[in-house]
């Protein structure tokens, strides 16, 4: 059992990360596309209210989208959102 003593100790799995509901994500992304397309400032609020879900779903793309929105550059935010969705296989 010298081998077993050298193996890493497996810790108990932590609480599983919540799964992203594909239908809810699709609705959210579609709504963001609509708001960014219209230069609607409420897109900023919607993005911020759903930050956790969007970070989880869009990964490294989220900070770029958020930065564009903070700068009120909704055209860039829209482009980055579409790129992020395409990279994740999400049709918008």
């Amino acid at each position: 059992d010298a081998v077993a003593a050298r193996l890493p100790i497996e810790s108990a799995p932590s609480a599983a990360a919540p799964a992203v509901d594909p239908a809810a994500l699709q609705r959210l992304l579609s709504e963001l596309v609509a708001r960014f397309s219209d230069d609607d400032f409420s897109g900023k609020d919607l993005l911020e209210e759903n930050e956790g879900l969007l970070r989880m779903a869009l990964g490294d793309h989220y900070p770029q989208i958020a930065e564009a929105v903070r700068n009120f550059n909704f055209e860039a935010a829209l482009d980055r959102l579409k790129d992020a969705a395409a990279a994740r296989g999400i049709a918008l």
Side-chain angles (χ1 to χ4, degrees), residues 11-78:
S11 60
S14 59
V20 174
D21 176 0
L25 179 62
Q26 180 73 40
R27 286 190 301 273
L28 174 59
L29 295 180
S30 294
E31 184 61 28
L32 286 169
V33 165
R35 292 184 191 194
F36 294 163
S37 294
D38 291 339
D39 289 328
D40 184 342
F41 290 105
S42 69
K44 181 179 184 295
D45 296 332
L46 184 62
L47 185 86
E48 291 171 353
E49 290 165 6
N50 292 281
E51 178 180 354
L53 171 66
L54 292 168
R55 279 188 182 278
M56 194 173 12
L58 303 179
D60 293 340
H61 295 272
Y62 179 81
Q64 298 170 355
I65 297 164
E67 180 66 23
V69 170
R70 278 192 298 275
N71 292 321
F72 299 102
N73 187 345
F74 295 114
E75 184 177 346
L78 179 61

